[in-house]
Amino acid sequence: MATKHTLVALVEDKPGVLNKVASLFRRRGFNIESIAVGHTEVPSISRMTVVVDGTAQSVEQVRKQLEKIIEVVKVSDITEDNLVARELALVKVKATPQTRSEIIQIVDIFRANIVDVAPGSVVVEVTGDEDKIDSLFSLLEGFGIKEMARTGRIAMGRGAKETK
Amino acid sequence: MKMTGAQILCESLLREGVEVIFGFPGGAVLPLYDTLPQYPGLRHILVRHEQGAAHAADGYARATGKVGVCLATSGPGATNLVTGIANAYLDSSPIVAITGQVARPFIGKDGFQEIDITGITLPITKHNYLVLDVSDLASVVKETFHIARTGRPGPVLIDIPRDVFADEASFHYPEKVNLRGYKPTLDGHPAQIRKAARLINEARSPVIISGRGAIISGASNELKELAEKAQIPVVTTLLGIGSFPQTHFLSLGMLGMHGMACANLAVSASDLIIAIGMRFDDRATGKVSEFAPNARIIHIDIDPAEIGKNVGVDVPIVGDVRSVLEALNKEIATKTHLDWVNQIEQWRSEHPSTAIRETDELIPQYVVRKIYEATNGDAIIVTGVGQNQMWAAQHFSYTKPNSLISSGGLGTMGFELPAAIGAKVGRPDETVWAIAGDGGFQMTIQELATITQENLALKIAILNNSFLGMVRQWQELFYGRRYVATPLSAPDFVKVAEAYGISAMRVSDKREVVPAIERAMAHDGPFIIDFRIEPEENVYPMVPPGASISVLLEEPREMVKVEVGSRDTSNL
C-alpha cells in the first residue's frame, strides 16, 4: 500500500548532489512531494528531507539506490519514528479594513504571525505540520489568497538519538 | 616541481597501473595528446569512433580484470562514448572515461563542441567529475580508479576543461581516498551466513545461480567448493558463464530465455536458490511471479540495492562474493543430493539443449562448436548481441572466468569488434575470437582499421544470415512471420576485409567450416570468415517473452509445457 514516507539524507555539500538525488527519484518513477535542503551541525554535510509517496518496499529500494550515490553519506526512512515534523509557509492574504481583524484572530488561534501589512494585504507566517498549514490555508481562502510559498517538511526524531 | 594538468593526469594514470588508453583526439584534448609522447608507458590506441574506445576499454577490463581507460574530446567525442559507458554500467565493468571540455570561461555558453557530459552520463556512471581546478586533478584520478574498481565495479567519467590541461600545479599523488559516502561492505553478516548455511544443509533440491559478481570477485574456487561440498547443481547467468566450469558434472549451463532446458527446469523445481553475484534480470527469471515457486532464496551480492529489487529474498547477504563464500563454506555440511542430481540428469537427457541437429546445411551452432573444438576451448570469445550471442553462449563450453565477453544488460549490437580489440590488447597471448552477426558487425565495422593499424591477430567469425536474426525470430514466432525491416543487405565482407588489409574468406558449405577455422587460426594476423549460414535458423530453447522459464519452446517448433510437479517442502 502506498503511503507517505519521510526520508532524511545526509549528503556531502558539493555541486550537483541535489540534481543527482532528484534525478534518481525521477528515474525510479517516484514523485517527490516535497524536498527541503539545508546545512547541518557538521560543516560540509547537508541534510535533505524528502517526502515521497510509495509502498514500503519501493521506498526501501529507492533508499538503497540513493545510498549508492557517492556523495550521499546516509539515508534513513524516519516515517515510523516518533517525529517532530515542521513546515514553514508564507501566505499573502487580501485584507480590507473590514476583514483585517478577523484575519488577525485566525492567525492568533494558529499561533502564526503577521509579518507584513500593506493596504489591501497581509503576509502571514506559519510553522507547523502539513495539516495545520492546510487548515489555516482553508480558513484564509475565504478572504482571497494572493500568493503562497511553502518550504516542504523538515523532520527530526524525538529523544536523544541522532539520525546518523 | 610544477606540472601541467596534462602531465598530472598522465602521471596519475601511470600510478594507477594504466598501460593502454583507447582514444580519439579533438580540440579540447589537444593539450593532453601533445603531452602523451612524454609518457611512453601509456600506449594510445587510436579507434575510428569513440563508441569503439569505450567498448574496447570495457573488453580490456573484462579480459584483464583491470580498469580500462578511454579518452575522447568534448561535445560529439563525449556523446559518442555514451553507449559504451552505459554498456559498462549495466554489466558492472570498471572503465574510466576521460573527456575534454571547453575551456572554463566558455562553460555554460554553448561554446563550440560544448556539451554537459557529466549531466548526460549521470544515470549511467557510478560517479563522475568535472575538474575545475588543476590542483584537484590528482585526487580526482585517485578517487576515480578507486570507485571504478571497488565494490560493484562500474564506469567513472572525468570531464576536464581544455585550459585545466594547461594550468600548472605541484604534483602530489594521494596515498588513499576518503569518501564518506562510499564504503562498500565486503564481509557478509555472520548471522546471515549461519542462516544461509542452515537452509543449505536442510535443502533437498538446491540450485546455485552464479552471475558476473562471482567472476569479478574471483570466487571460482570458492564457488566450486560450495557446489562440490554440498553437491549443488550450478546454473549461471549469461554473464556468469565461466564462473563455474561447464565441463563439470554439476554444471547445468546458462538459465533464462535461451537457457538450457535442464537449467530452467532445475531452477523452477528447486527448493532453495543460492543466488551469487547476480541480479535477477528479466531475461534470466522469465515471468517473475512464477519464478522458482517452491524455492527459498539466499541472495549474495555486494550491491545492497540489488537485494529484494526484483524478487523477494529469504536470506540477504551483502558482501563480496568470495569473502562470503569462504565464510559460508566453513558452515555447510558435506552432503549429497543424488535423487535431485539424477532427476536433473533425466531432464538433461530428455531435453538435450546443446545437441546440434544432423544436417548438411551450414548452421551456426555447428560453426560455434567447431571453433570450440579447434581452440580446445582455450580462447576468449567476444560476441555481438542477438542470435550470434546466444549460439556462442550455448555451443561453446566455457571453463574459465572471463572467457566469454558479451554485452548482457544493455544488449549493445556492435559491441563485439571493439570489445574484442580491447580483449586482445589486454591479453595478447590469448586466442580471441569475435563472433558477430551481419547486422551488429556493420555497426562498428570501421574498427577493422584499428585492427590493421595495431596489427591485432583477432579472429572474426561473422554468422551471416542476411537478417537481423533475433528480431526476425521474434517476428516469425510472435508476429506472424511478417519480416518488417529485418531482411538485411550487407557488403561483401571478404572484399571489405581486403580493403582494410585483412585476410578473409567466405564459407557457404558445411564441409569448408573446419578447414576455414584452421586456416584462420594458423594465419599470423587478423582473419575474418564470413559464414553464410542458414538464413532462418532459430535459437532454441526459447522461453516466450513474459512466460515462466519452465515453459520451453524447443525444436521441433512447438510449445512444450514441462510439468515439474510439486515437491515436498514440509522440511523447510
Side-chain angles (χ1 to χ4, degrees):
Chain A
M1 194 190 66
T3 51
K4 263 190 210 179
H5 289 253
T6 304
L7 298 178
V8 169
L10 299 174
V11 306
E12 293 195 61
D13 184 14
K14 286 189 178 164
V17 181
L18 176 60
N19 181 22
K20 288 183 185 181
V21 169
S23 137
L24 195 137
F25 279 104
R26 175 191 58 77
R27 279 205 309 282
R28 302 280 167 183
F30 283 85
N31 196 10
I32 297 178
E33 201 141 309
S34 78
I35 183 164
V37 191
H39 294 298
T40 63
E41 74 285 2
V42 184
S44 81
I45 293 282
S46 296
R47 181 176 176 120
M48 295 184 184
T49 312
V50 189
V51 180
V52 289
D53 214 28
T55 63
Q57 198 197 359
S58 65
V59 173
E60 173 60 7
Q61 172 58 210
V62 81
R63 190 192 67 75
K64 291 196 284 190
Q65 294 287 351
L66 283 169
E67 287 202 327
K68 287 173 71 171
I69 298 173
I70 304 288
E71 297 100 331
V72 173
V73 178
K74 173 89 191 161
V75 186
S76 315
D77 184 345
I78 61 169
T79 313
E80 301 293 318
D81 297 3
N82 191 4
L83 289 184
V84 185
R86 291 290 181 272
E87 192 175 334
L88 184 144
L90 295 172
V91 194
K92 189 176 284 182
V93 190
K94 275 188 199 161
T96 62
Q98 291 76 35
T99 60
R100 190 171 289 131
S101 64
E102 198 182 336
I103 291 171
I104 291 169
Q105 272 184 357
I106 292 169
V107 165
D108 282 345
I109 291 166
F110 279 82
R111 280 182 282 164
N113 299 310
I114 290 178
V115 291
D116 180 70
V117 182
S121 75
V122 295
V123 175
V124 178
E125 172 208 85
V126 58
T127 55
D129 58 22
E130 287 85 346
D131 287 349
K132 176 180 167 183
I133 293 172
D134 288 344
S135 324
L136 175 61
F137 184 82
S138 64
L139 285 174
L140 294 176
E141 233 174 351
F143 302 99
I145 287 177
K146 295 163 76 74
E147 215 178 304
M148 173 155 88
R150 293 172 75 151
T151 58
R153 179 191 299 183
I154 58 169
M156 195 171 277
R158 293 179 191 271
K161 211 172 123 243
E162 303 141 52
T163 306
K164 279 271 161 71
Chain B
M1 198 189 78
K2 294 243 174 192
M3 286 186 183
T4 65
Q7 288 172 320
I8 289 173
L9 177 61
C10 292
E11 289 282 349
S12 305
L13 293 177
L14 286 174
R15 274 166 181 70
E16 291 300 331
V18 174
E19 294 169 356
V20 185
I21 299 170
F22 301 93
F24 198 99
V29 285
L30 259 176
L32 176 59
Y33 272 88
D34 194 47
T35 306
L36 271 182
Q38 299 169 26
Y39 295 90
L42 296 173
R43 175 183 176 193
H44 181 270
I45 290 177
L46 177 68
V47 294
R48 294 300 180 274
H49 184 288
E50 291 86 348
Q51 183 189 350
H55 287 326
D58 188 343
Y60 177 91
R62 296 192 208 200
T64 62
K66 302 197 314 192
V67 178
V69 179
C70 56
L71 168 63
T73 192
S74 64
T79 54
N80 280 346
L81 291 176
V82 167
T83 299
I85 294 172
N87 191 77
Y89 184 70
L90 283 164
D91 288 352
S92 310
S93 187
I95 70 168
V96 167
I98 299 166
T99 51
Q101 183 54 277
V102 297
R104 280 166 295 180
F106 295 94
I107 290 179
K109 307 272 167 51
D110 302 324
F112 177 64
Q113 294 194 329
E114 181 189 359
I115 202 74
D116 172 19
I117 196 63
T118 50
I120 287 173
T121 57
L122 181 68
I124 54 165
T125 50
K126 196 170 166 189
H127 194 49
N128 64 32
Y129 294 90
L130 169 62
V131 182
L132 291 172
D133 186 337
V134 68
S135 57
D136 294 338
L137 189 52
S139 60
V140 163
V141 175
K142 179 82 188 172
E143 287 178 11
T144 291
F145 279 81
H146 175 71
I147 291 168
R149 67 160 76 95
T150 58
R152 179 182 181 174
V156 182
L157 179 137
I158 314 176
D159 197 25
I160 307 174
R162 189 169 57 86
D163 55 336
V164 172
F165 283 120
D167 265 13
E168 293 190 340
S170 53
F171 175 67
H172 303 288
Y173 204 63
E175 291 281 304
K176 49 185 172 197
V177 295
N178 183 23
L179 295 160
R180 272 183 291 197
Y182 179 70
K183 301 210 161 56
T185 305
L186 298 180
D187 297 326
H189 195 286
Q192 294 296 89
I193 288 173
R194 278 196 299 276
K195 217 162 140 189
R198 202 163 58 238
L199 287 189
I200 292 170
N201 292 339
E202 289 167 359
R204 296 168 57 166
S205 48
V207 173
I208 291 169
I209 306 178
S210 167
R212 186 162 142 71
I215 294 175
I216 293 169
S217 80
S220 287
N221 290 336
E222 290 74 12
L223 174 61
K224 203 165 157 209
E225 189 189 335
L226 170 65
E228 287 175 348
K229 192 171 174 189
Q231 199 175 64
I232 306 174
V234 179
V235 311
T236 72
T237 64
L238 172 66
L239 295 187
I241 285 178
S243 59
F244 189 77
Q246 291 190 328
T247 45
H248 196 287
F249 85 103
L250 287 169
S251 169
L252 310 184
M254 177 174 75
L255 89 161
M257 184 173 273
H258 293 293
M260 301 296 102
C262 64
N264 285 347
L265 294 174
V267 166
S268 299
S270 66
D271 68 355
L272 177 69
I273 284 171
I274 306 147
I276 301 176
M278 56 82 72
R279 59 182 177 86
F280 295 98
D281 177 80
D282 56 272
R283 286 293 191 270
T285 61
K287 187 176 184 182
V288 77
S289 59
E290 291 174 20
F291 177 75
N294 303 321
R296 300 225 180 162
I297 296 179
I298 299 166
H299 191 183
I300 305 167
D301 203 286
I302 199 158
D303 181 355
E306 287 303 345
I307 291 175
K309 185 179 78 176
N310 293 340
V311 302
V313 170
D314 298 278
V315 183
I317 306 177
V318 177
D320 177 65
V321 165
R322 187 160 135 191
S323 156
V324 171
L325 291 187
E326 263 174 20
L328 184 62
N329 286 344
K330 290 188 192 122
E331 305 269 342
I332 56 166
T334 303
K335 223 182 149 181
T336 57
H337 297 102
L338 291 175
D339 290 351
W340 174 231
V341 169
N342 287 337
Q343 166 70 76
I344 291 171
E345 282 313 307
Q346 194 186 330
W347 285 329
R348 201 199 297 261
S349 59
E350 285 165 8
H351 305 278
S353 304
T354 53
I356 296 171
R357 80 166 185 279
E358 289 289 331
T359 173
D360 291 333
E361 297 163 346
L362 175 50
I363 56 172
Q365 300 91 326
Y366 179 80
V367 172
V368 172
R369 197 66 201 168
K370 291 299 159 190
I371 293 175
Y372 169 70
E373 287 168 7
T375 57
N376 281 321
D378 188 14
I380 296 175
I381 303 296
V382 188
T383 78
V385 168
Q387 288 185 317
N388 67 82
Q389 178 183 35
M390 291 300 117
W391 287 319
Q394 291 175 337
H395 296 284
F396 194 100
S397 294
Y398 299 88
T399 54
K400 287 186 293 192
N402 297 314
S403 51
L404 174 68
I405 294 177
S406 195
S407 166
L410 194 65
T412 312
M413 287 172 69
F415 174 74
E416 61 275 41
L417 187 53
I421 289 173
K424 186 66 184 171
V425 168
R427 303 269 298 274
D429 298 332
E430 295 283 330
T431 301
V432 178
W433 273 91
I435 294 182
D438 48 321
F441 193 65
Q442 291 187 68
M443 286 188 167
T444 49
I445 197 166
Q446 73 284 348
E447 301 305 336
L448 289 175
T450 310
I451 292 174
T452 305
Q453 187 164 351
E454 297 292 331
N455 192 27
L456 299 170
L458 276 181
K459 313 301 170 186
I460 300 165
I462 306 171
L463 304 179
N464 183 349
N465 52 13
S466 301
F467 276 112
L468 298 171
M470 187 58 93
V471 182
R472 185 209 56 75
Q473 176 171 341
W474 283 49
Q475 288 172 333
E476 176 188 331
L477 298 174
F478 311 115
Y479 291 88
R481 277 185 80 101
R482 292 181 296 280
Y483 293 166
V484 181
T486 44
L488 178 75
S489 76
D492 180 328
F493 288 122
V494 175
K495 282 188 181 159
V496 168
E498 281 165 6
Y500 279 106
I502 296 173
S503 301
M505 65 182 289
R506 174 171 302 111
V507 170
S508 309
D509 187 318
K510 189 181 178 184
R511 286 164 301 188
E512 299 164 20
V513 170
V514 174
I517 293 169
E518 281 168 359
R519 188 178 151 197
M521 301 271 290
H523 181 76
D524 183 22
F527 200 95
I528 297 175
I529 309 173
D530 177 21
F531 290 103
R532 306 304 300 266
I533 59 165
E534 205 35 47
E536 295 189 55
E537 188 67 20
N538 284 343
V539 178
Y540 291 110
M542 179 176 194
V543 175
S548 154
I549 55 169
S550 62
V551 179
L552 299 165
L553 207 55
E554 293 181 291
E555 284 190 292
R557 303 170 184 194
E558 59 185 296
M559 188 97 81
V560 187
K561 168 83 177 165
V562 185
E563 289 296 341
V564 294
S566 60
R567 295 187 69 84
D568 182 10
T569 54
S570 55
N571 65 334
L572 280 174

